[in-house]
Amino acid sequence: RKPASISKLVWTGIAILGLLLLLFFSAPWLIFQWLHFKAKTTRPITQKAYWSYISSTYYLNQLGYSRNELSPAVFAKDKIDSKFKTNFASFMNVYLKTKYAKATLTSAEQNTIETFYKPFYTTVKNITPFKARFSKFLNFYRTINFFSKPKI
């Protein structure tokens, strides 16, 4: 058995470091892919509302549109719908009803949840240039900010 050469150890170390860096910088995109998958494939209406909300707010957060101290309704109406011309505010109202009121949804509200996510994602994606999406998804700080709870 031959002893490992120094150059082989160095190249192995560089490869491992490169893979770790690749994983670190791709983590925000990989997280979004999971959330996006859940939002598109979940069927029960309250769970679909939840995953659509999480996926859309995570996507917006990564693009630089975070809610900060705004209420969900104000954020949706004033910050997102005014910029992207989506129906995020109407979806947000229905989502908040499913989260807090636990009341039965009307068929129109169920339809809002069912038809919200795909057109919303497509609209935001088409308006935001690829270079901007790519560079903003490299910002791991935004991912940490999304999942951390604010200090009160």
Side-chain angles (χ1 to χ4, degrees):
R1 183 176 158 120
K2 288 184 181 179
S5 68
I6 297 294
S7 65
K8 187 175 181 178
L9 288 174
V10 168
W11 283 112
T12 303
I14 289 172
I16 291 171
L17 184 62
L19 285 172
L20 289 174
L21 282 172
L22 181 65
L23 182 62
F24 177 78
F25 284 112
S26 64
W29 181 79
L30 292 171
I31 291 168
F32 173 68
Q33 290 305 310
W34 171 251
L35 297 174
H36 184 63
F37 170 77
K38 293 296 282 184
K40 290 190 315 184
T41 60
T42 301
R43 291 291 160 235
I45 199 74
T46 55
Q47 291 178 8
K48 182 157 189 71
Y50 171 78
W51 287 111
S52 296
Y53 169 77
I54 294 295
S55 183
S56 57
T57 54
Y58 178 80
Y59 190 62
L60 291 168
N61 179 73
Q62 287 304 116
L63 296 178
Y65 303 97
S66 57
R67 193 169 67 92
N68 296 331
E69 55 281 328
L70 296 174
S71 73
V74 170
F75 170 70
K77 182 180 177 212
D78 295 346
K79 212 169 178 184
I80 303 306
D81 283 350
S82 63
K83 167 89 174 157
F84 296 106
K85 308 295 186 243
T86 60
N87 64 339
F88 195 43
S90 60
F91 167 78
M92 186 65 72
N93 290 335
V94 177
Y95 168 71
L96 292 173
K97 180 179 178 180
T98 65
K99 184 175 181 180
Y100 296 112
K102 305 293 185 205
T104 305
L105 297 177
T106 66
S107 61
E109 291 169 332
Q110 288 181 9
N111 187 50
T112 298
I113 291 172
E114 289 290 340
T115 60
F116 164 73
Y117 183 73
K118 288 178 186 178
F120 175 82
Y121 169 71
T122 304
T123 301
V124 174
K125 181 181 173 188
N126 290 339
I127 291 174
T128 309
F130 173 77
K131 286 171 98 174
R133 290 192 320 264
F134 183 81
S135 66
K136 291 180 178 186
F137 262 83
L138 291 176
N139 188 341
F140 196 75
Y141 175 74
R142 285 191 175 124
T143 303
I144 293 169
N145 185 46
F146 181 81
F147 290 108
S148 64
K149 300 290 183 204
K151 294 180 182 175
I152 297 177

